[in-house]
């Protein structure tokens, strides 16, 4: 296994330059598939896939190298696909083993979506790189770019959580169609739930994101400018709970229907606030609690504000997290004609 750096005297034809790697969990080990350059030139390049098996990642890579007669050069690997993983312990074990090898430092980690047996093997040999396509698809998204180091760190920290984007091939095109929530009981969310994973996502700097609010007698387009969340532990009658406050700010763009002026603004804010709380409730009850994936980082907040309690419960956080009560509060402030008015 060639880890990194320049090795004088190594024939380039005896080296497989890897652009993407996929690790599939099997009953007795791992199946590792890599996408590698088969031709490299100024005017022409093409890619091919190779596969190896082993009880460990290192053994699978060795098997792959023996089959191809080439050393793997992993420094150019941009994407690591994990397939068949859901349990946080299994994923942590794999990422820890890969990280300990060095050499492979993928910029993006992605999960194969439901029903995808082997994404890289679907490409075969050709001029298109699935690794490049995946990297372009995932880079820059709010919930789509997770690197190996960050994911391994979060899996090792019981007070935080992580979502890994799940990709499927649909009509010859790659699409984000799910999210893996690795926890005690891993969940791969379906496409219908994707827009509920981050309610009213914070827009990038300079970006304006338009949403539509609908209710009885009206519909209104509004622009999101700011989305903030605050979380803090609190004690009531000797019982620990959390207060989660979500706040959205923006301005009304247009309205349609029988409601106008301040009445339209008030109703739109109430309905947006109701939707905001419903989405965070879904995230808490359908992802955080079932998978024991601490996406709200409640453990870190306990460590910060209630250190003594965290020292007592942190070791058993997987059993404590699903039972902690959370009070959700929301507020929505919209501008209309540059005037701030109303609260949902």
């Amino acid at each position: 296994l060639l880890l990194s750096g320049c090795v004088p005297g190594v024939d380039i034809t005896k080296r497989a330059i890897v652009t993407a790697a996929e690790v599939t969990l099997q009953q007795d080990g791992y199946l590792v598939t890599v996408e590698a350059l088969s031709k490299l030139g100024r005017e022409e390049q093409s890619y091919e896939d190779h596969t190896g098996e082993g009880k460990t990642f290192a053994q699978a890579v060795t098997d792959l190298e023996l089959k191809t007669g080439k050393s793997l050069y992993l420094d150019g690997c941009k994407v690591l696909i994990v397939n068949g993983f859901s349990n946080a312990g299994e994923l942590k074990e794999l990422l820890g083993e890969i990280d300990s090898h060095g050499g492979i430092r993928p910029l993006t980690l992605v999960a194969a979506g439901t029903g995808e047996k082997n994404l890289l093997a679907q490409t075969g040999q050709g001029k298109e790189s699935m690794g490049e396509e995946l990297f372009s698809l995932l880079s820059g998204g709010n919930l789509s770019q997770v690197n190996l180091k960050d994911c391994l760190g979060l899996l090792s920290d019981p007070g935080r959580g992580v979502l890994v984007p799940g990709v499927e091939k649909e009509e010859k095109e790659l699409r984000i169609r799910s999210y893996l929530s690795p926890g005690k009981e891993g969940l791969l969310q379906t496409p219908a739930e994707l827009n509920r994973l981050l309610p009213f996502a914070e827009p990038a700097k300079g970006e304006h994101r338009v949403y539509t609010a609908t209710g009885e007698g009206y519909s209104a387009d509004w622009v999101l400018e700011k989305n903030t969340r605050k979380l803090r532990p609190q004690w009531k009658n000797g019982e620990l709970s959390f207060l989660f406050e979500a706040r959205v700010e923006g301005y009304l763009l247009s309205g349609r229907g029988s409601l106008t002026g301040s009445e339209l603004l008030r109703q739109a804010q109430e309905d947006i606030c109701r939707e905001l709380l419903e989405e965070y409730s879904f995230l808490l009850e359908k992802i955080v609690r079932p998978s024991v994936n601490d996406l709200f980082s409640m453990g870190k907040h306990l460590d910060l504000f209630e250190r003594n309690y965290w020292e007592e419960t942190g070791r058993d956080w997987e059993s404590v997290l699903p039972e902690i009560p959370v009070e959700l509060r929301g507020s929505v402030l919209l501008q209309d004609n540059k005037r701030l008015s109303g609260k949902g």
Side-chain angles (χ1 to χ4, degrees), residues 145-160:
Q145 189 138 24
V146 182
N147 64 44
L148 184 147
K149 277 284 191 182
D150 287 345
C151 187
L152 182 59
L154 291 169
L155 289 172
S156 303
D157 188 340
R160 296 184 185 274

Side-chain angles (χ1 to χ4, degrees), residues 73 150 270:
Y73 183 75
D150 287 345
E270 288 183 2

Side-chain angles (χ1 to χ4, degrees), residues 20-33:
E22 180 172 4
V23 182
T24 301
L25 181 65
Q26 302 186 126
Q27 284 188 345
D28 56 350
Y30 301 125
L31 176 72
V32 175
T33 303

